[in-house]
Amino acid sequence: MAEVLLFHHAQGQTPGFHAFADDLRTVGHTVHTPDLFAGRTFDSIPDGMAHVRELGFEEVLARGVKAAEDLPAELVYAGFSLGVVPAQQLAQTRPGARGALLMYSCVPYTEFGQAWPVGVPVQIHGAQEDPYFMDEGDVDAARELVAATDDAELFLYPGDQHYFADSSLPSYRPEPAALLTERVHAFLADR
């Protein structure tokens, strides 16, 4: 079974975020879920991002990196939207990474190094009409990453919702969420 470090999105550790982590645990994976917001949750993405601006983006990223300090090196790093940034940084810079799961977002891999690390598989998941994923450069970064390494997959799902796999939010879409979850399970089974 895999050991996963899973980072939440800008609305914080919602019940849907916890449900996703618990689903992975039910099949035997160890899932660590650090809280980058110290217990705070938000009703919307803009409210959550306002909190990120108050804290400072660098502080949120530092909290993510710190969360890995006492964990084994052999982790799969995973994140939803905002949580993709520390997950991707750790997958690219912390030796021993077993893989990366980047959901709803992707940063240009050159932000954290010259190349994606050899032997670190990655899956990227986003909605085809999600304005955050499609219009803010994430899909372009994802396509560049897939082109730069042999062990990367980009999955695009129907719909326009950003947090489509968070079962506790109005943006939840059961069919694409189930497919994303199935693909994550298959990815983790190989780790």
Side-chain angles (χ1 to χ4, degrees):
M1 292 290 113
E3 190 160 357
V4 181
L5 181 56
L6 178 65
F7 294 104
H8 61 79
H9 51 65
Q11 287 185 244
Q13 291 198 343
T14 60
F17 169 80
H18 285 294
F20 188 89
D22 289 342
D23 179 69
L24 300 180
R25 291 179 182 117
T26 62
V27 296
H29 301 298
T30 300
V31 183
H32 305 277
T33 55
D35 190 343
L36 305 176
F37 290 172
R40 294 195 62 189
T41 58
F42 299 91
D43 292 333
S44 71
I45 295 171
D47 290 346
M49 290 308 295
H51 181 65
V52 170
R53 285 189 293 280
E54 287 173 19
L55 291 172
F57 192 78
E58 292 302 319
E59 172 61 21
V60 173
L61 189 56
R63 289 177 183 187
V65 171
K66 185 170 178 48
E69 285 180 357
D70 296 327
L71 297 176
E74 299 77 19
L75 295 171
V76 172
Y77 297 99
F80 290 101
S81 194
L82 171 70
V84 161
V85 182
Q88 188 171 335
Q89 179 180 4
L90 287 163
Q92 288 191 239
T93 63
R94 191 168 188 241
R98 299 276 188 205
L101 293 162
L102 313 178
M103 294 162 284
Y104 320 141
S105 186
C106 186
V107 177
Y109 69 87
T110 53
E111 289 290 318
F112 304 117
Q114 296 297 315
W116 186 261
V118 174
V120 179
V122 57
Q123 278 188 352
I124 307 149
H125 303 266
Q128 293 173 10
E129 297 173 50
D130 168 11
Y132 292 102
F133 189 74
M134 299 304 288
D135 299 340
E136 294 186 3
D138 295 82
V139 72
D140 298 324
R143 288 179 175 139
E144 289 171 10
L145 176 52
V146 168
T149 182
D150 292 335
D151 211 356
E153 297 176 287
L154 170 59
F155 297 107
L156 296 175
Y157 301 82
D160 62 357
Q161 296 300 306
H162 192 51
Y163 296 163
F164 67 86
D166 187 319
S167 61
S168 64
L169 298 176
S171 57
Y172 178 65
R173 298 297 179 264
E175 288 181 20
L179 184 54
L180 179 149
T181 303
E182 178 183 315
R183 288 171 169 157
V184 166
H185 278 289
F187 182 89
L188 293 176
D190 290 340
R191 307 283 99 43

